[in-house]
Amino acid sequence: VAAVKLLVEGCVNTTVAVNGKVLTETIELWQCEGVAVKIASAMRTVQLDACSGVKLQYARAADFDRCLTAGVFDLALSFADAPSLDGEVDLGTLRAQMPDKGLSAETDQFISRHVEGALLTELIVRLSNDFPTTEREVADFAAKTRMKSDKIDEVVQGMLGSSLGRELSGAERQQMVEMVKSQSEAAAKAQHTAEGTAAGRHLARVEFKKAAGNEAFKAGEYQQAAVAYTEALSLAASGPEDCGEGGTVDPAIASATRCNRAACFLKLGRYAQAREDAEAAAALQPSYAKAHFRLALALQAEEKFPEAVAAFNKALQLEPKNKEAAAGLRMAEVQATRQRRQQQQ
């Protein structure tokens, strides 16, 4: 029998042996102390939060890809078939190495991987497109994607050699050359700029958990998706001060995450929780049509048909072409009428 994913929570001075197949090749450890994990099968992703004194003992280095950590002290990774790849991760040491970062045990996340024959631990930062990465990868990717002058000339000459290009005037041809050069530089600066602030790193963790929820939802794993969204919301509410008032991130992100979790609860038949999340999402972002639509679905499932009618109407006011909301409204109106007649009998 294969497990989907392994979760080790709240264990102290315990040994865990992993010998069987894990479909996602993922193990998570949370609030563990003095735990030894002996891994003899593919476990390519390990995530640790708020742990200390953990030992990850791999039989084969090929079974490991990455280790994500937050608030982790005295972590030791060893590989029986490749001792030269052994390494340690310790937040105290990382703080000493990066004194200017103001590293937080609650919000900053690190990634450890084998790079050029050694275990390398890097702080996860956030790109301008919200993708979590590291400063090293940002610099490498920007260098690789920035067009060199000879490449720009090659691209421009190809464009000018087309039937359209041959019809351009000299001034228009020069304008095209400048446009391509400008776009190349703008792309290198705008698309590959890392957010080095504590707020940026915190938001990267929120987005990471939110994205994990999205993937689980797409796979039909609604309970797992709800857990990931809950983790994202918990992180969003406990960020650094410069994330906004009260330490929370952009209300739009919190609203979308609440709305997504409401969708999970609807799928799981937990309608009261779906309603509460949809109400919170709509309160955070009153113009968010999807929040009002999911609120209407939850109210409809709870047989609160008049309230559902009002919520469907609100969703349609914000998004008039929403066919699902229109169909839901028609059904809710019929249900409300039927319910009212039954109550009058």
Side-chain angles (χ1 to χ4, degrees):
V1 178
V4 176
K5 182 170 68 173
L6 298 183
L7 173 63
V8 182
E9 178 180 347
C11 292
V12 177
N13 299 329
T14 305
T15 298
V16 178
V18 183
N19 299 306
K21 182 177 179 61
V22 177
L23 296 178
T24 60
E25 300 182 351
T26 299
I27 181 171
E28 296 182 8
L29 293 91
W30 185 59
Q31 291 187 339
C32 291
E33 182 179 348
V35 172
V37 185
K38 298 183 177 182
I39 303 170
S41 58
M43 197 61 62
R44 296 182 62 77
T45 301
V46 184
Q47 183 167 338
L48 300 93
D49 289 88
C51 295
S52 64
V54 171
K55 296 179 180 179
L56 299 177
Q57 302 170 338
Y58 277 82
R60 297 178 298 273
D63 290 335
F64 170 82
D65 180 65
R66 66 190 62 198
C67 179
L68 301 166
T69 60
V72 171
F73 295 86
D74 193 24
L75 167 65
L77 293 95
S78 61
F79 305 90
D81 66 338
S84 62
L85 297 177
D86 294 358
E88 297 180 351
V89 179
D90 180 78
L91 181 57
T93 302
L94 292 167
R95 282 171 170 166
Q97 294 172 348
M98 295 179 272
D100 59 323
K101 296 293 187 181
L103 299 177
S104 166
E106 288 73 33
T107 61
D108 283 324
Q109 190 175 39
F110 299 85
I111 183 168
S112 300
R113 292 168 291 187
H114 289 140
V115 178
E116 297 182 355
L119 187 72
L120 177 65
T121 298
E122 300 172 281
L123 176 66
I124 291 178
V125 295
R126 175 178 158 269
L127 293 178
S128 57
N129 64 358
D130 290 338
F131 185 80
T133 184
T134 66
E135 291 177 343
R136 175 183 58 84
E137 290 171 321
V138 169
D140 289 348
F141 193 65
K144 291 177 182 177
T145 55
R146 184 181 292 110
M147 273 193 203
K148 304 301 182 183
S149 59
D150 57 343
K151 186 66 175 178
I152 291 177
D153 291 340
E154 179 183 330
V155 170
V156 171
Q157 291 306 317
M159 296 170 66
L160 295 178
S162 66
S163 58
L164 176 61
R166 288 191 291 271
E167 296 177 2
L168 297 177
S169 67
E172 289 172 331
R173 293 164 72 91
Q174 183 59 36
Q175 184 179 13
M176 179 175 285
V177 171
E178 295 302 322
M179 179 189 71
V180 173
K181 288 182 178 180
S182 176
Q183 288 180 343
S184 173
E185 289 302 315
K189 292 179 181 178
Q191 295 181 17
H192 313 302
T193 299
E195 294 284 354
T197 65
R201 297 193 302 273
H202 169 255
L203 183 55
R205 291 203 68 205
V206 175
E207 289 286 5
F208 181 84
K209 291 293 186 181
K210 181 171 175 283
N214 293 345
E215 289 301 314
F217 189 90
K218 290 176 183 177
E221 299 171 358
Y222 305 121
Q223 183 61 54
Q224 186 62 34
V227 170
Y229 291 137
T230 300
E231 290 174 338
L233 289 167
S234 179
L235 283 168
S238 62
E241 292 181 359
D242 54 347
C243 280
E245 185 178 350
T248 59
V249 297
D250 185 347
I253 295 175
S255 177
T257 307
R258 284 270 190 181
C259 194
N260 290 354
R261 192 171 67 173
C264 294
F265 289 145
L266 284 169
K267 291 287 188 180
L268 294 168
R270 293 154 61 176
Y271 303 125
Q273 288 174 288
R275 170 174 45 79
E276 291 170 1
D277 266 351
E279 287 174 338
L284 285 166
Q285 202 175 13
S287 61
Y288 191 19
K290 188 178 291 184
H292 294 283
F293 175 65
R294 288 183 178 157
L295 173 58
L297 293 177
L299 290 166
Q300 192 174 35
E302 291 185 300
E303 298 186 1
K304 298 178 179 179
F305 302 123
E307 294 94 328
V309 168
F312 278 127
N313 272 318
K314 182 63 177 178
L316 284 168
Q317 287 175 13
L318 295 167
E319 203 172 82
K321 296 183 179 180
N322 188 324
K323 294 181 179 179
E324 291 182 325
L329 174 60
R330 290 193 294 270
M331 177 61 72
E333 288 175 335
V334 171
Q335 292 169 319
T337 300
R338 184 184 302 138
Q339 185 182 64
R340 185 169 58 253
R341 288 173 180 171
Q342 290 174 344
Q343 292 171 346
Q344 291 173 348
Q345 291 177 353

